[in-house]
Amino acid sequence: MDENLKKLQNIFRDILDDENLEITESFSQKDCEGWDSVAMVQIILAVESEFGVKFTTSEVANTRSVSDLLKKIS
Amino acid sequence: MLLHHIGMLAKDLRAEAERLRGVCGYEIVSGEIEDSVQTAKVMFLKLPQTDSFLELAAPLGENSKLARALKTGEKLHHLCFQTDDISADLKNFREKGFLILCEPVAAAAFKDRKIAWVMDSQKNLFELVESGSGELPLKV
């Protein structure tokens, strides 16, 4: 598994409180009921902290999937 | 910044306002104010001799942002701070680990003074409202 994807998986496991969660690049909000707007805030802030990036408000609004997050941090 | 109000969710604004008037002595200082941008309707209460308000908020329509929160049983919802410089304070919140949920937009409850929303990783939700010139108006 790609290192960035692995770090994202750890973030998702922590925030969504599911230690067995397996994510792929195509994993998106529609695949996961727990990935709501509040979880999105936690995920974005955790990604910013982990990868040293900053999302603009429009980038946050347009983030829907793990793929979107990977594009930002790559 | 000054604390302007504490936001609390309610299914029925009028019933909750009357209940809090009876229990705590709140005065009801506004009618129901609808804000389609915020997908909410709100009502303001105030305890005599205090400076800040209690805002009761209910979903406006089935797709309201508040509907899900209300379904989970959440009651206390947010703190709202009055600020002289909403852009500078938003920048400060962003630098201190908050995410901007909503850039400044006109708010029906404050006669189109601007409000913005931020949240941190601990799910603390804060609203900012610009003071503007003169006393902050409250639509009644």
Side-chain angles (χ1 to χ4, degrees):
Chain A
M1 179 183 261
D2 174 80
E3 189 62 28
N4 285 346
L5 188 58
K6 194 172 182 180
K7 287 180 179 176
L8 285 179
Q9 180 163 277
N10 289 335
I11 287 170
F12 275 82
R13 284 180 173 183
D14 180 44
I15 290 168
L16 300 178
D17 196 25
D18 182 353
E19 62 182 21
N20 297 315
L21 179 67
E22 302 281 343
I23 65 169
T24 63
E25 285 192 30
S26 62
F27 187 72
S28 71
Q29 270 191 300
K30 61 180 171 52
D31 300 319
C32 178
E33 192 177 337
W35 188 353
D36 58 15
S37 58
V38 174
M40 179 67 88
V41 172
Q42 294 179 284
I43 288 165
I44 295 288
L45 289 173
V47 168
E48 288 188 342
S49 176
E50 177 69 33
F51 295 96
V53 294
K54 280 280 185 188
F55 287 74
T56 65
T57 305
S58 65
E59 284 174 334
V60 174
N62 291 321
T63 297
R64 298 276 185 278
S65 66
V66 168
S67 175
D68 295 331
L69 294 169
L70 286 169
K71 282 179 197 160
K72 179 67 181 178
I73 62 184
S74 60
Chain B
M1 292 194 301
L2 299 172
L3 178 65
H4 182 270
H5 67 256
I6 295 169
M8 198 170 136
L9 301 183
K11 281 184 184 172
D12 184 326
L13 296 182
R14 179 62 63 180
E16 186 68 358
E18 292 294 347
R19 192 178 72 84
L20 291 171
R21 178 156 67 176
V23 173
C24 307
Y26 273 100
E27 295 173 351
I28 300 170
V29 296
S30 83
E32 291 190 5
I33 305 164
E34 295 191 355
D35 189 331
S36 59
V37 175
Q38 301 298 323
T39 62
K41 52 186 176 179
V42 300
M43 180 179 277
F44 287 89
L45 286 69
K46 195 173 188 183
L47 283 171
Q49 300 178 344
T50 58
D51 293 327
S52 62
F53 297 85
L54 176 65
E55 178 193 59
L56 298 179
L60 180 63
E62 293 177 3
N63 298 319
S64 168
K65 301 164 188 172
L66 297 180
R68 181 181 169 88
L70 200 55
K71 278 181 189 170
T72 65
E74 185 180 330
K75 290 291 286 180
L76 286 174
H77 187 251
H78 68 272
L79 299 180
C80 176
F81 297 102
Q82 185 176 331
T83 168
D84 292 334
D85 189 338
I86 197 168
S87 296
D89 281 319
L90 264 185
K91 186 167 179 260
N92 186 45
F93 272 108
R94 186 71 178 104
E95 289 170 355
K96 300 287 194 316
F98 282 75
L99 199 63
I100 298 170
L101 305 184
C102 174
E103 299 281 355
V105 291
F110 305 115
K111 295 189 176 175
D112 288 345
R113 296 276 171 96
K114 289 181 179 173
I115 62 169
W117 293 89
V118 295
M119 180 182 272
D120 68 9
S121 62
Q122 304 303 307
K123 306 181 189 178
N124 292 303
L125 179 62
F126 294 159
E127 177 184 9
L128 301 180
V129 56
E130 66 176 356
S131 299
S133 57
E135 190 175 345
L136 182 65
L138 187 66
K139 186 177 178 182
V140 293

